[in-house]
Amino acid sequence: MTTATTATKIRSIAPRVDVYEDTESFTIQAEMPGVDREHTQIEVHDGTLTLRGTRTVANGSSNIHVSERARGEFRRTFALGKRLDIEKVQAQMNDGVLTIRLPKSERLQRKTISIN
Amino acid sequence: MTLVRQNRSEAAPWTALREIENHFSRFFGEPFGLVEWPNGGSGWAPALDVSENENEYVIDADIPGVNKDDVSLEILDNVVTIKGERKSEKTEDKKGFHRVERMYGSFQRSVQIPGGFKSDDVQAKFENGVLHITLPKREESKPRTITVQPN
């Protein structure tokens, strides 16, 4: 996986991400506090993974004093390369952090062969 | 942290607080609002929304990936302080980082609530990475309607 590209739309917001790799997979962790699973979309297409969605921040009709939390549409795209098994991509939302696990293709995984 | 000035005569207390924070190089408008905190480069500060309605003040703080047990709320006079720590979940077997944008370590932020609140009735809920705090108003802080008497 090459490094991520950032959101291109000027007005869109982009969640912060960590991307790391271990022997079996790549993992993307994106901070999306207060975003529902239903409002999040992960799209794998043409060698890229796009994470998009909408973040709504409920304030009702109340009087707002401080408003720092980003709201609106967000989008981030990552270039995947060809070394991944995209059929086995898994995603999970936990405490406002979305974890996407992208397993490497079998042939890329390091294997240890013991000598008899 | 001595970020909050206890100045009751301040005309616009919310603005005042933000000015103090700007003074500490806070940067607004970051994606999802997580910012560097200038305490030796090791801290960060969650983005906040503060609002009020007729009966209560509401503070929402974005603290994704922080364990509920690692967050605490302190109340002193009219000041609410949220503090905690985001622990790194990285383990030894991680081979390489391609990108690290998320911030780890301790965080702390204070909000001064003008007019005060019932500190015994403050409630906090942590859901989906958002800490939602409700601070019920004291009777004297609630809006009152005064009827003008006829002569």
Side-chain angles (χ1 to χ4, degrees):
Chain A
M1 187 185 304
T2 54
T3 48
T5 50
T6 46
T8 46
K9 264 200 230 159
I10 293 165
R11 294 204 61 188
S12 67
I13 52 177
R16 281 175 185 263
V17 298
D18 283 357
V19 181
Y20 56 87
E21 172 187 0
D22 61 22
T23 46
E24 280 120 48
S25 58
F26 288 89
T27 304
I28 300 171
Q29 287 194 306
E31 294 189 340
M32 313 204 322
V35 179
D36 292 339
R37 240 164 9 111
E38 295 76 44
H39 290 110
T40 309
Q41 211 185 332
I42 302 164
E43 224 176 69
V44 179
H45 175 69
D46 214 9
T48 62
L49 182 146
T50 300
L51 171 63
R52 73 172 90 218
T54 309
R55 188 189 196 216
T56 44
V57 177
N59 263 320
S61 57
S62 55
N63 198 354
I64 298 160
H65 295 290
V66 177
S67 179
E68 298 170 356
R69 300 167 68 221
R71 56 208 74 195
E73 282 179 36
F74 61 88
R75 176 153 73 141
R76 271 195 94 158
T77 301
F78 305 87
L80 294 182
K82 287 176 181 158
R83 305 182 288 151
L84 302 172
D85 193 346
I86 59 164
E87 299 299 319
K88 290 183 185 161
V89 175
Q90 286 184 331
Q92 196 184 342
M93 188 86 91
N94 208 350
D95 278 344
V97 177
L98 178 71
T99 302
I100 307 171
R101 200 171 293 277
L102 307 117
K104 294 179 186 175
S105 308
E106 289 281 325
R107 59 188 169 82
L108 260 169
Q109 287 179 22
R110 191 173 301 192
K111 281 187 187 125
T112 312
I113 294 139
S114 57
I115 304 166
N116 293 314
Chain B
M1 188 172 65
T2 51
L3 279 179
V4 181
R5 190 168 47 188
Q6 300 267 5
N7 186 352
R8 281 161 217 275
S9 65
E10 190 65 59
W14 307 97
T15 317
L17 184 58
R18 293 189 75 164
E19 274 169 16
I20 295 164
E21 290 182 338
N22 280 332
H23 183 67
F24 280 86
S25 324
R26 282 188 51 77
F27 180 71
F28 294 94
E30 266 293 287
F32 278 16
L34 296 174
V35 294
E36 271 98 351
W37 194 258
N39 56 0
S42 65
W44 55 282
L48 300 180
D49 283 355
V50 182
S51 61
E52 79 173 276
N53 59 38
E54 208 174 296
N55 298 313
E56 62 201 11
Y57 297 97
V58 178
I59 303 172
D60 285 298
D62 283 344
I63 43 174
V66 174
N67 196 308
K68 187 168 71 77
D69 299 330
D70 294 330
V71 184
S72 71
L73 204 61
E74 272 177 29
I75 292 163
L76 183 67
D77 295 332
N78 290 348
V79 179
V80 181
T81 301
I82 304 162
K83 56 168 95 174
E85 188 185 356
R86 180 184 286 138
K87 290 175 178 157
S88 175
E89 44 204 273
K90 311 286 178 285
T91 51
E92 292 299 316
D93 69 323
K94 303 286 184 287
K95 218 165 77 177
F97 291 93
H98 293 266
R99 211 166 178 93
V100 182
E101 296 170 0
R102 300 178 61 208
M103 289 177 161
Y104 297 91
S106 55
F107 63 89
Q108 180 163 324
R109 278 201 82 176
S110 298
V111 181
Q112 185 179 21
I113 304 294
F117 51 89
K118 293 180 191 161
S119 54
D120 291 338
D121 299 328
V122 172
Q123 289 197 329
K125 191 176 72 172
F126 187 49
E127 199 176 1
N128 239 340
V130 178
L131 182 67
H132 181 79
I133 308 165
T134 47
L135 311 125
K137 285 185 182 178
R138 290 196 195 118
E139 288 307 315
E140 59 264 32
S141 304
K142 289 185 183 174
R144 264 178 305 168
T145 312
I146 294 143
T147 5
V148 180
Q149 302 293 333
N151 280 330

